Amino acid sequence: MNTTVHEEKNWKMIYRLGAFAAYGAVLVGILEIAITYLPGGDAPHETILDWFNLFHDNWFMGLRNMGLLNIFLNVFAVLTYFALYAAHRKDPNKPFAFLSMIVSYIGVGVFFATNRAFPLWSLSQQYAAAGTESQRAVLEAAGLALLAVGGSHTPGTFLAFFIVELAGLMISVVMLKSNLFGKPAAYAGILGFGALLVFEFNSSFAAGLTSANMLLAMVGGIASMVWYILIARKLSEFGR
């Protein structure tokens, strides 16, 4: 009996951590939108020298444009998806909830393996201190190699975002079948992560950052934030 009560307390703690992480993801989304409207928040950086200059002038904006906030978002995803799995552990859809959690963790692992924000910042500092043209040429080549892997909305970052967003779509379908979180939350997740999947594919391989594609990003971003808020509220209830 005491063991059962202790286990239930542990699960409730996991729900509370998941709710905290989901609210954290919403905060990251709001910060991302707010920073976009700051000076240089949406300025394009097409060459490696543009990136080096950005890091030199504003290291925070350089890190942010290379995915700094996505680092926090992926950390929150680890807690959120585990809590969602925990909520479905007694549901017939438990295997699919577990699969979506594993898929999300794979996506998080790929993201951290490919993120190049801090290495590029380090290269920019070396470039600023370089004394010869040959040294600068070597550093420019190294920077281009990092951008090929870690540049946002490029084939280099597509796989990580695709896998994480696929996990979000999967768990939203599970939520629709189980109805533990309510249909509005499930539909918000399906719409949000579905739109973000199409956006990521287009921006990486097809149309690029066109106005239509940015509309997809806006719809996906807002819907996914609604999804995070709704699941955070429900996880908080489970935690009580």
Side-chain angles (χ1 to χ4, degrees):
M1 182 66 180
N2 290 335
T3 302
T4 303
V5 172
H6 182 68
E7 289 178 352
E8 191 61 30
K9 287 182 178 179
N10 289 339
W11 286 118
K12 287 184 178 181
M13 177 59 69
I14 290 170
Y15 296 146
R16 290 195 289 269
L17 287 173
F20 167 80
Y23 282 127
V26 175
L27 179 60
V28 169
I30 294 173
L31 285 174
E32 186 70 47
I33 294 171
I35 292 173
T36 300
Y37 291 96
L38 292 176
D42 60 349
H45 306 287
E46 299 179 353
T47 69
I48 187 59
L49 292 182
D50 290 338
W51 282 101
F52 284 165
N53 290 331
L54 175 63
F55 275 105
H56 182 267
D57 296 336
N58 191 330
W59 63 267
F60 174 77
M61 290 303 297
L63 291 175
R64 175 262 178 180
N65 290 354
M66 282 296 292
L68 175 64
L69 295 182
N70 286 326
I71 293 175
F72 294 98
L73 195 62
N74 278 274
V75 171
F76 290 141
V78 172
L79 296 173
T80 301
Y81 280 90
F82 185 64
L84 291 174
Y85 161 73
H88 289 89
R89 73 188 190 281
K90 296 180 181 179
D91 188 84
N93 296 287
K94 172 184 175 181
F96 300 103
F98 179 77
L99 178 61
S100 66
M101 180 184 70
I102 295 302
V103 170
S104 73
Y105 288 176
I106 293 173
V108 170
V110 173
F111 172 81
F112 281 111
T114 56
N115 184 265
R116 296 294 185 265
F118 290 98
L120 193 60
W121 182 22
S122 176
L123 274 185
S124 71
Q125 294 174 319
Q126 295 176 50
Y127 186 85
T132 65
E133 288 299 323
S134 60
Q135 289 176 329
R136 294 191 184 96
V138 170
L139 292 169
E140 287 176 24
L144 287 172
L146 293 180
L147 280 182
V149 176
S152 296
H153 310 303
T154 66
T157 57
F158 170 78
L159 187 60
F161 288 111
F162 173 80
I163 295 175
V164 172
E165 287 155 8
L166 177 62
L169 192 59
M170 291 170 61
I171 193 62
S172 296
V173 172
V174 171
M175 290 163 56
L176 183 63
K177 292 182 178 180
S178 69
N179 205 30
L180 288 175
F181 289 81
K183 293 190 183 300
Y187 285 126
I190 292 171
L191 173 62
F193 292 111
L196 289 174
L197 273 174
V198 177
F199 162 76
E200 203 62 47
F201 179 85
N202 286 343
S203 60
S204 298
F205 301 109
L209 299 178
T210 63
S211 56
N213 207 32
M214 291 307 296
L215 178 62
L216 273 174
M218 182 179 69
V219 171
I222 293 174
S224 62
M225 287 175 67
V226 171
W227 180 80
Y228 275 114
I229 292 172
L230 293 176
I231 66 170
R233 291 175 59 186
K234 202 66 177 179
L235 286 172
S236 295
E237 290 180 15
F238 293 160
R240 291 192 294 271

